[in-house]
Amino acid sequence: MKRFEELFAPHLDAAYNLARWLTGNDSAARDVVQESALRAFRFLHRFADGNAKAWFLTIVRNESYTWLKASAGHHWVSIGDELPEDDAALSHGQSPELLAIHTENAVLIQQALCALPPVFREVIVLKDLEDMPYKDIALVVDIPIGTVMSRLARARAMLKLELLKLHDHE
């Protein structure tokens, strides 16, 4: 129990943040983190000395997707990484961060992030909100590091598009 607390207790906030952003639901996020902690405890013997945060967030991610697939009222669609290459908004000079500052409205940022498919939302949450290195994100999401970088670039472009749409509707 002591080893479990030392390894995973420091990452409970990150686990909740990831689950909350993926499920879009406070109650579900708490359930996902609780189930994930239980699984991490149950399978602690499988954890070698490595990156505890990445291992735990991998479990949280998997549990979040399980919840999304099983949840009534959520439409589950597998989305590829592709975006139209000639999208005019992608060439817009402002970064998502600058657009966020200009909108001066955290609710719009949250709406824009929630509008992204989970596979894109998770990389933004892990990189920009949890400040995880690319190599750790690659472990959590189980994709090559190059794919993490390209998916993050696409996710940021999608976020920028969503912010532009929301900003235009003000």
Side-chain angles (χ1 to χ4, degrees), residues 41-106:
F41 183 74
R42 194 178 306 139
F43 296 105
L44 189 59
H45 63 280
R46 289 190 188 170
F47 177 72
D49 290 329
N51 187 328
K53 183 176 184 179
W55 192 74
F56 187 44
L57 291 183
T58 300
I59 296 169
V60 171
R61 176 185 182 262
N62 292 340
E63 286 298 314
S64 295
Y65 278 106
T66 299
W67 183 87
L68 281 171
K69 288 176 185 175
S71 175
H74 280 79
H75 302 290
W76 181 257
V77 180
S78 180
I79 306 276
D81 284 359
E82 299 308 313
L83 271 182
E85 293 297 325
D86 59 346
D87 198 314
L90 296 181
S91 61
H92 194 278
Q94 291 183 305
S95 69
E97 295 81 3
L98 283 175
L99 281 170
I101 290 166
H102 291 150
T103 62
E104 297 180 20
N105 190 337

